[in-house]
Structures are given as structure tokens and as C-alpha cells.
Amino acid sequence: MNLHCLEQSTDAAIITAGLPHTPPIIQPDAHHQSSETTTYALWPYHLHGAIRSALTEADDHTDDRWTPADWQQAAGRALAALGDQWATSTSLTPSRMLLVACLRQGLRLARDHRLTGLDWLIEAAHAYTDDSVWEPLGLTVSTDPAPDTPADAVAELLTAITRRQHEHRQRTADRLTAVLETGLLPAELTEMALYYRAKAHKDLSHNETARQGMQQVADAGGRLALKARRGLANLARLAGDFPTALAAVPTLGWKGRHHRVLGDIHWPHADTAQAIAAFEAGRAEAEQHGAAGERAMTQVRLALAVSFADPVRAGDELALAHQYLDGLDQRANTLLAHTVALIKDAGAEDVTDRVQHLHTAIEAAGLPYLHRFVELALAFHHAVRGEDQALAATTDRLRTLTATGDFAYFTDIAHFMAGLPLPEPSAVRWTTSDDTVRAAWHGLVQARQEHLRTGT
């Protein structure tokens, strides 16, 4: 049996090998026949080579002819050593690179050797997903759709969550449903699977299903309850129930990303100043917590709020957003940033030419809710240019895209931009009067027209 699955430092290799002391020289190298390397790993050498080196260099003439039971015991020691190494790092200076290295190797080790005792992997899984930074875990996709051990199920869970940045969200929902149906996930990670499946349903515009999933997680009161409450607040906003969403904000705190939720309530009201203030506060809080993923998400939304009101500043904020997104693998936020660029450039000649490519990319990603943002950007563009027929066609597409009720306020906003009356009474509940929201959006269009006329 070969522990080829694990890359490791020499200290951990000694622990894994079960040696009574450290040999004088342990230098695993790429020339060992069984030594495999991973170029970009924190620990580039695979464990079997390190163990072979440790055993071969040992001065007690240990034999390298291990039995399967020896290798199984070594795998258990290796998993424990990885957990100890990660736990030590979190009590000192937390390292994202070390977290990912330990998680990547621990998952492969536990899965390949059918190990139990996954407690530290559960904690590491929460730490990995907490900030929406999706480094690849390097786990091969199983050809068997049904995991048959808890370690298999945990590996499939995290692979599905990570791979959703590159797969259609329906594939994500299906994979998470399959792993939940095995019943093999530990309780805390069952909650994680439910939460991310609900997020996938929200992205697919299956909002009632998403709402049920978020409510289930919120009611459980576990460590993802605040995130689920945020999800419920966002779903209320998507349904046009802004007062309910706003009432939830004080209950969320940092873990529920309260500033981001608040900014997402303010900008649809064209309350640009309040939205910018909320997103700036959220960005500062993310920086304070060292949360690179949250910082990037908040920065994209800051650029969105700015883009309607100040195209010059929006260029700077977008550049910073792309800088923050670099290396984070946040597909939805990257596509949203491209949509923000359309809003920033509203009134320019090439805006409509860029739209179809963006729609195609959104469709491929399985993120249909973003089509609505693109059409809203187009509505702003046509309103600024006074293109009444094109605006009417865009508004019709928005009405079709929001027929379920979710994002229906985008259709209202499109009418407000042009100063047009709504064709029928709206179900949207704003936090202020309809007339106030209408005047604010029409004012942003007039300000952009003035900017294009004068260049200021």
C-alpha cells in the first residue's frame, strides 16, 4: 500500500513512520523512486518518499517492508499529525496556505484510507468555506456517485462547493443533494451542505426552495445560522420586501455580513450615499478580520453603487475590485463586476455590443439571476440616451425575467429611470415612498446625461 496521497514535511513523516527518534539526515528528494512532487504545494514531496527516506536513513535498521496494517496505522498517525499542525497554527498566526495544505492532504488521506476521527477536518472545512476564497483542493472527482464512508462524503461536499465556481449551479445542487442523501456527513457538515445547496437554488432563481433550505439551517441554530439569516434577508429583498430585509440587519453582525446586506438594500433605492457608506464600512470590517473574500465581494458592490452616480470614481473602484478578485475564483462576483462596467459606461456607443457576450458567460455559469443585472444596466443606458423604444424592449425583457416576483423591483426601477408611470400597481415594498425612489433614479439618469454633455 502506498501513501502517495499525502505530501508532508519531514517532521510529520517521522511521526507517521512511527520512528522512536529523528534520524541524523532526512532529506526526501525527487530522485527517490517512490517520491512524487506537487510543484505548488506547501509541502512539495509526497509522504511515501519521505517515510522511505526516514526509514532508510534510520540508524536502527528499520525494514521498509510494511504490512497493510502498518500503512493503515501510519495513515492514522499522519492524519492526527496534520490536525495537530493546523491546530497549532490557528492558535498562533492563522495561515490560509497551511489550512489549505492540511485540508487538501487530510481529506485525501482520510478518503483513500477510509479513516475515522474527522473532527479536525470538520473545523478546517468551516475555516476553508468561511471567507469564500476557493483555492482548489486537488481532489480527484470520484467515478462512483455514491460515497460510502464519511470521509468520502466530506471530500465530495467540499469538492462540490469549490467546483461550483466552474460548474453550472444545477450541477452543484445535484451533487449536494446526492451527498446529503447518503446520510454519511457529520451533523455540522450536513448543515453546510444544506446551506450551500440553498445558495445554489437562489442563484438558479429557485427562490422558494432556497428559502426553505435557509430556514432549515437558521432554525437549527448552528454555526451557519447567521449566514442563513442573511440568506433569508437577501431573499426577502429579492422578493421586493425591503422593510423585512432591513429589520433583519441589526441581528446579523459581522458573521452575517450586516454592512453588505444593508448596502444591498440602499442601492436599489438609488440612495447612493448610504449604500456607499455601508459598503465602505463592510470593506473596512472585512480588512479588519483579514477576510479577503468578503472584502472582494463588498468592493464589487461598492463599485456597483458608485457606477450609477459617479462613472469616474467607478473606474477606480472597479479596478480595485478586480485587484481584490484576482486569485479568489469568485465567478459570480467577477461577472457582476463586468456588469458594473456597463453601468459605468452607460451612454457610450459600445455598451450594447458588449451585452451578448456577458449574457453568454452568465448562461454558461448557471447564474441566471445576473441576466437581470445586465438588463438593468441596459435600461440605465437607454434611459440616459433617451432611446425610448430600446428602453421599452429592455423593460419587457426585465418583466419576463422577474415574472416570478423575485427582482421585480428592477422593472420598477427601469420605469423610474425614464420617469415613466408603472403600467400596473407594484407589489414592491420600499423603505420609503415610491415617489422618493422614482425621483432618485430619474435624478441619476439626468446627472449622467449632464456628465456626458459637459464631461464633468
Side-chain angles (χ1 to χ4, degrees), residues 1-8 16 47-48 51 71-83 101-116 118 120-121 139 149 151-152 155:
M1 185 179 296
N2 189 334
L3 292 186
H4 65 280
C5 64
L6 188 67
E7 308 145 359
Q8 189 53 278
T16 301
L47 178 64
H48 187 67
I51 294 176
W71 283 106
Q72 189 70 12
Q73 292 171 6
R77 290 193 296 268
L79 185 64
L82 282 168
C102 289
L103 188 57
R104 177 187 294 131
Q105 297 175 70
L107 282 170
R108 294 174 69 188
L109 187 65
R111 183 191 62 184
D112 292 353
H113 295 275
R114 305 174 72 85
L115 299 177
T116 58
L118 306 180
W120 79 262
L121 284 174
L139 299 171
T149 69
D152 282 339

Side-chain angles (χ1 to χ4, degrees), residues 414-453:
H415 285 84
F416 295 164
M417 287 174 175
L420 297 173
L422 297 176
E424 55 190 24
S426 173
V428 176
R429 297 177 62 224
W430 304 99
T431 61
T432 186
S433 70
D434 293 12
D435 288 342
T436 299
V437 181
R438 176 191 300 277
W441 276 112
H442 193 49
L444 288 176
V445 169
Q446 291 173 320
R448 179 61 62 89
Q449 290 170 335
E450 180 66 17
H451 167 76
L452 291 172
R453 277 196 300 269

Side-chain angles (χ1 to χ4, degrees), residues 50-339:
I51 294 176
R52 286 185 64 87
S53 181
L55 292 167
T56 303
E57 303 287 348
D59 56 10
D60 57 359
H61 306 293
T62 305
D63 193 344
D64 189 30
R65 292 189 295 273
W66 283 11
T67 67
D70 291 331
W71 283 106
Q72 189 70 12
Q73 292 171 6
R77 290 193 296 268
L79 185 64
L82 282 168
D84 289 344
Q85 190 157 4
W86 178 65
T88 299
S89 79
T90 57
S91 65
L92 298 172
T93 303
S95 164
R96 183 81 189 179
M97 180 180 288
L98 184 61
L99 163 65
V100 173
C102 289
L103 188 57
R104 177 187 294 131
Q105 297 175 70
L107 282 170
R108 294 174 69 188
L109 187 65
R111 183 191 62 184
D112 292 353
H113 295 275
R114 305 174 72 85
L115 299 177
T116 58
L118 306 180
D119 290 351
W120 79 262
L121 284 174
I122 294 172
E123 294 300 316
H126 279 286
Y128 172 74
T129 58
D130 188 54
D131 189 33
S132 301
V133 180
W134 307 112
E135 303 94 336
L137 292 175
L139 299 171
T140 56
V141 179
S142 174
T143 56
D144 183 353
D148 62 357
T149 69
D152 282 339
V154 174
E156 173 60 11
L157 166 67
L158 291 182
T159 300
I161 292 172
T162 303
R163 286 292 303 167
R164 80 190 201 283
Q165 301 300 324
H166 303 279
E167 295 178 343
H168 196 285
R169 286 301 199 270
Q170 186 60 57
R171 167 71 171 147
T172 302
D174 291 344
R175 290 180 71 169
L176 291 175
T177 296
V179 77
L180 281 165
E181 288 176 348
T182 67
L184 292 170
L185 284 172
E188 284 196 40
L189 296 187
T190 297
E191 176 186 41
M192 182 181 289
L194 289 169
Y195 173 74
Y196 280 97
R197 184 174 67 174
K199 281 176 66 70
H201 282 302
K202 179 181 75 69
D203 291 342
L204 290 164
S205 298
H206 302 161
N207 282 3
E208 184 52 40
T209 303
R211 201 170 283 112
Q212 292 170 6
M214 290 294 183
Q215 192 66 60
Q216 183 177 357
V217 176
D219 290 345
R223 49 204 297 180
L224 292 180
L226 278 174
K227 288 188 175 183
R229 285 183 213 157
R230 179 187 71 216
L232 289 169
N234 286 335
L235 286 164
R237 169 179 55 82
L238 298 185
D241 186 357
F242 287 98
T244 295
L246 184 61
V249 172
T251 71
L252 298 177
W254 154 247
K255 289 187 177 180
R257 306 307 193 246
H258 53 160
H259 291 305
R260 174 154 54 91
V261 174
L262 185 59
D264 279 338
I265 293 169
H266 284 312
W267 79 256
H269 289 74
D271 192 344
T272 304
Q274 293 277 20
I276 290 172
F279 290 135
E280 286 178 336
R283 183 180 63 188
E285 196 169 41
E287 289 173 344
Q288 178 186 350
H289 286 86
E294 178 62 22
R295 181 181 66 173
M297 282 188 278
T298 306
Q299 180 62 32
V300 173
R301 284 156 177 79
L302 173 59
L304 172 64
V306 171
S307 65
F308 287 107
D310 188 344
V312 176
R313 177 182 171 184
D316 294 335
E317 299 294 356
L318 262 180
L320 187 58
H322 283 295
Q323 178 183 325
Y324 287 165
L325 285 167
D326 186 33
L328 296 189
D329 208 9
Q330 292 184 357
R331 195 174 189 185
N333 286 294
T334 299
L335 290 168
L336 180 57
H338 291 312
T339 307

Side-chain angles (χ1 to χ4, degrees), residues 4-29:
H4 65 280
C5 64
L6 188 67
E7 308 145 359
Q8 189 53 278
S9 65
T10 54
D11 286 344
I14 294 161
I15 295 171
T16 301
L19 294 177
H21 55 80
T22 304
I25 301 175
I26 299 180
Q27 293 293 336
D29 61 65

